[in-house]
Amino acid sequence: EAGVTQFPSHSVIEKGQTVTLRCDPISGHDNLYWYRRVMGKEIKFLLHFVKESKQDESGMPNNRFLAERTGGTYSTLKVQPAELEDSGVYFCASSQDSGLAGRTGELFFGEGSRLTVL
Amino acid sequence: QQPVQSPQAVILREGEDAVINCSSSKALYSVHWYRQKHGEAPVFLMILLKGGEQKGHEKISASFNEKKQQSSLYLTASQLSYSGTYFCGTESVDSNYQLIWGAGTKLIIKP
């Protein structure tokens, strides 16, 4: 079974440009999460989809970030225009359901998309 | 507010034991542990629920002190494969049950 895949693995762009990150969750996983980790710091929550609906987008830093999950399958995260502070590794994770073991079940992460804004 | 992990980094010899701590100022619903090897995806290790229920795998155990809002991850007789960065994530009402992550503990195991 394929795991969570993210594309691109690394993107280098200049300030002001646009980047779109893509995440393909495990098939059948309704929950999809986006997180970001800035070098050496904590992983920060960005948003949570349940199927195609945004369950919680309280972690989105500002309106330069736009996430979509059309049809409840893959998701994209667009940053437009990119700023220097947007650099970091963007992780996507999916889970089958909220489950019994806490509201957030076992997460399956992708390897991340490293974004470098120059 | 993010949980505090300690230590930030630890170097061990193969076969030695390690304890990684995760402490929060919030009343927690659960604590989750993940390990990330360099360049790879974080991998699930353990979920500990308020009330004492525990899930996990491998030869790694953990505890959750609800009164102190602390969790500890125990790695006994560490193996080279245990190397990586360990993250705890905490769930609480305050976080709307989203995981709030610590900054990670880097564990290096030497032969």
Side-chain angles (χ1 to χ4, degrees):
Chain A
E1 181 182 331
V4 177
T5 56
Q6 292 187 244
F7 182 83
S9 57
H10 193 183
S11 181
V12 181
I13 61 173
E14 295 196 349
K15 177 183 172 180
Q17 289 186 319
T18 298
V19 64
T20 300
L21 310 177
R22 172 171 169 144
C23 169
D24 286 77
I26 292 174
S27 177
H29 281 195
D30 288 341
N31 294 276
L32 187 150
Y33 303 82
W34 282 99
Y35 297 97
R36 175 174 69 180
R37 188 182 189 212
V38 175
M39 180 72 75
K41 296 192 175 180
E42 74 276 13
I43 299 169
K44 283 198 170 180
F45 166 78
L46 295 178
L47 88 159
H48 171 204
F49 283 100
V50 178
K51 297 185 179 178
E52 67 274 12
S53 298
K54 292 177 184 175
Q55 178 77 11
D56 185 340
E57 54 183 329
S58 61
M60 295 287 264
N62 50 60
N63 59 10
R64 294 185 294 102
F65 288 74
L66 175 65
E68 295 179 327
R69 190 182 183 195
T70 306
T73 54
Y74 71 92
S75 174
T76 58
L77 180 65
K78 179 189 285 188
V79 184
Q80 179 183 28
E83 298 289 344
L84 299 178
E85 64 264 25
D86 300 334
S87 295
V89 179
Y90 290 77
F91 288 104
C92 173
S94 69
S95 69
Q96 192 163 17
D97 54 45
S98 294
L100 299 175
R103 298 297 181 101
T104 303
E106 177 180 347
L107 295 175
F108 294 83
F109 278 85
E111 293 185 350
S113 292
R114 180 177 296 277
L115 174 63
T116 303
V117 182
L118 303 176
Chain B
Q1 189 159 359
Q2 69 176 104
V4 177
Q5 285 188 236
S6 64
Q8 289 183 314
V10 59
I11 300 174
L12 297 176
R13 291 279 179 200
E14 196 174 8
E16 293 182 334
D17 301 338
V19 180
I20 299 172
N21 300 303
C22 176
S23 179
S24 174
S25 60
K26 304 292 185 181
L28 300 178
Y29 177 78
S30 66
V31 180
H32 300 222
W33 287 95
Y34 285 76
R35 175 175 63 209
Q36 183 187 19
K37 293 182 179 290
H38 183 68
E40 298 181 8
V43 173
F44 168 79
L45 293 176
M46 190 90 59
I47 294 177
L48 299 105
L49 293 181
K50 180 180 178 180
E53 187 176 346
Q54 176 176 326
K55 291 178 63 175
H57 68 116
E58 298 186 5
K59 297 177 183 178
I60 296 173
S61 62
S63 63
F64 179 19
N65 186 323
E66 297 167 28
K67 289 184 179 179
K68 293 186 177 180
Q69 310 304 333
Q70 291 177 349
S71 177
S72 294
L73 188 71
Y74 306 94
L75 300 102
T76 305
S78 56
Q79 305 168 18
L80 295 176
S81 61
Y82 287 0
S83 292
T85 300
Y86 289 76
F87 293 96
C88 72
T90 59
E91 271 188 313
S92 68
V93 172
D94 288 356
S95 71
N96 197 29
Y97 296 102
Q98 297 297 342
L99 286 177
I100 306 298
W101 299 90
T105 295
K106 188 169 185 177
L107 178 64
I108 298 172
I109 309 293
K110 293 188 172 183

